[in-house]
Amino acid sequence: MITDFRLKVFETVARRLNFTRAAEELFITQPAVTRHIKELERLLDARLFKREGRGIALTAEGVRLLVHSRRILKEYETLAEDMSSGRNTPVSGELSLGASSTMSQYVLPPLLALFNRHYPEIRIRLKSGNTEEIEQAVQDEAVQLGIVEGTARRTDLHYLPFMEDEIILAGGSHAAAPREGLSLPQLSHVPLIMREPGSGTRRVVEEVLKKHGIAASGLHVLMTLGNTESIKMYLAHSPACSFLSSLAVREELKRGDLKKIHLRHLEIRRSFHFANGHGDYSRINELFIKFCRNYYNKI
């Protein structure tokens, strides 16, 4: 693909804020990364990075260059896609994805493996985080395409529906629950482990409970954990419960390690959406979106 590799090196270092990790991602040596950055600084007569503690940070000039670099690199990709369209040649380029925790851990891995088998010339880069972090990464152009949980909220992003999921109240063998299930008033007495603020799962749960007259402040929250796997391990050794994606606990429910606790008169469902900037077009992104939708329509 036509590109100015120095800008690609700069964008990678600016994103990783680490010369060694940038070199590993680009499959070049660290001295080569340093050389490209120094060459850019010489041409622009500007310092792009500064030392900050044990790491590095962008200078004001570096921040400005990053905005232009991402636009230029995106134009290079659009150029390559446009020139290759209509030809019988393999699709190549980079798929830069950001995905919320549930997506990146429980949905995307097998899907990405299949996508790579079909399109081996496309390099895949995946960033994981909670919904707010991924939406911000898309807005900052740190990733080209996000997959996020819950309702579409930001007016500066374009959302496209992907798939649906159910959030259930789950507990381990120590969790007590009546056979007929819990009533909504009883929920306030259940010790809960919650995801961190900014989590799409937590946001959806709080919105649904609020509609049923239950404020988040009225819940008995024992602890906040920022990782679904940590929550599942905690539940296995505690009488506490947690609201978790059904996608995240499929195997534990099958094995009997966790159980679904029925909540009477309450069902929590949410949608996953693709998110990108308004007006952003990428042939690779469109290809991936179509691939994902076809895959989940078949299972």
Side-chain angles (χ1 to χ4, degrees):
M1 184 175 76
I2 301 171
T3 188
D4 186 329
F5 191 63
R6 291 168 300 188
L7 289 181
K8 180 64 177 172
V9 171
F10 167 73
E11 191 277 336
T12 307
V13 176
R15 177 166 33 84
R16 304 300 294 267
L17 291 177
N18 186 292
F19 277 65
T20 302
R21 289 177 189 157
E24 290 170 353
E25 182 175 322
L26 294 165
F27 299 102
I28 59 176
T29 65
Q30 186 174 330
V33 170
T34 303
R35 189 170 62 251
H36 285 299
I37 296 300
K38 284 184 175 178
E39 176 68 7
L40 267 179
E41 290 180 328
R42 185 186 66 79
L43 289 170
L44 297 170
D45 191 23
R47 191 177 170 209
L48 302 175
F49 294 97
K50 61 184 177 182
R51 286 281 170 195
E52 195 170 83
R54 294 187 177 182
I56 60 171
L58 285 164
T59 63
E61 292 83 359
V63 170
R64 292 204 299 272
L65 179 61
L66 182 59
V67 173
H68 292 291
S69 295
R70 285 177 171 159
R71 287 175 183 163
I72 292 167
L73 291 170
K74 190 180 290 184
E75 281 300 314
Y76 277 132
E77 287 190 5
T78 303
L79 170 62
E81 291 171 3
D82 185 57
M83 295 303 293
S84 63
S85 62
R87 292 193 217 149
N88 192 20
T89 56
V91 181
S92 64
E94 182 176 270
L95 175 62
S96 172
L97 278 176
S100 56
S101 304
T102 301
M103 269 285 139
S104 61
Q105 286 181 284
Y106 307 107
V107 177
L108 282 179
L111 202 155
L112 290 176
L114 283 173
F115 186 79
N116 180 251
R117 196 183 306 166
H118 282 80
Y119 304 100
E121 299 298 319
I122 296 178
R123 302 179 307 280
I124 300 171
R125 177 165 59 85
L126 175 63
K127 171 185 173 65
S128 180
N130 66 37
T131 291
E132 287 186 2
E133 290 168 343
I134 297 306
E135 287 175 326
Q136 190 61 46
V138 174
Q139 201 275 330
D140 293 340
E141 298 184 4
V143 298
Q144 292 180 345
L145 182 66
I147 308 177
V148 296
E149 309 168 20
T151 53
R153 299 191 313 159
R154 296 182 56 148
T155 57
D156 54 348
L157 297 180
H158 172 69
Y159 295 88
L160 194 64
F162 173 22
M163 61 179 289
E164 297 239 322
D165 177 33
E166 181 184 7
I167 297 174
I168 66 169
L169 184 64
S173 59
H174 303 288
R179 256 187 202 178
E180 67 275 14
L182 291 170
S183 66
L184 294 184
Q186 287 174 315
L187 181 61
S188 62
H189 303 294
V190 176
L192 293 173
I193 309 299
M194 297 290 282
R195 282 288 305 274
E196 78 288 355
S199 155
T201 301
R202 177 168 177 161
R203 189 169 74 196
V204 170
V205 168
E206 290 181 347
E207 286 174 354
V208 172
L209 291 179
K210 186 178 179 181
K211 289 177 182 176
H212 285 78
I214 302 172
S217 59
L219 299 174
H220 177 31
V221 179
L222 283 182
M223 192 179 300
T224 297
L225 294 176
N227 182 284
T228 299
E229 290 300 307
S230 300
I231 293 175
K232 291 194 290 186
M233 289 290 288
Y234 190 100
L235 297 183
H237 300 85
S238 165
C241 299
S242 184
F243 288 100
L244 296 171
S245 163
S246 60
L247 296 167
V249 295
R250 281 181 297 192
E251 296 306 313
E252 288 80 5
L253 293 175
K254 282 181 188 176
R255 294 194 304 263
D257 298 338
L258 294 177
K259 59 190 175 186
K260 178 180 178 180
I261 296 171
H262 176 59
L263 286 171
R264 302 202 301 271
H265 313 299
L266 181 69
E267 184 181 54
I268 305 177
R269 303 195 71 84
R270 49 102 178 262
S271 298
F272 288 95
H273 290 78
F274 296 103
N276 62 355
H278 288 289
D280 284 354
Y281 172 78
S282 164
R283 183 185 172 202
I284 291 175
N285 286 358
E286 294 294 323
L287 191 66
F288 181 70
I289 290 170
K290 184 177 180 181
F291 186 90
C292 290
R293 287 174 141 183
N294 285 343
Y295 178 84
Y296 273 97
N297 280 337
K298 291 175 183 175
I299 63 173

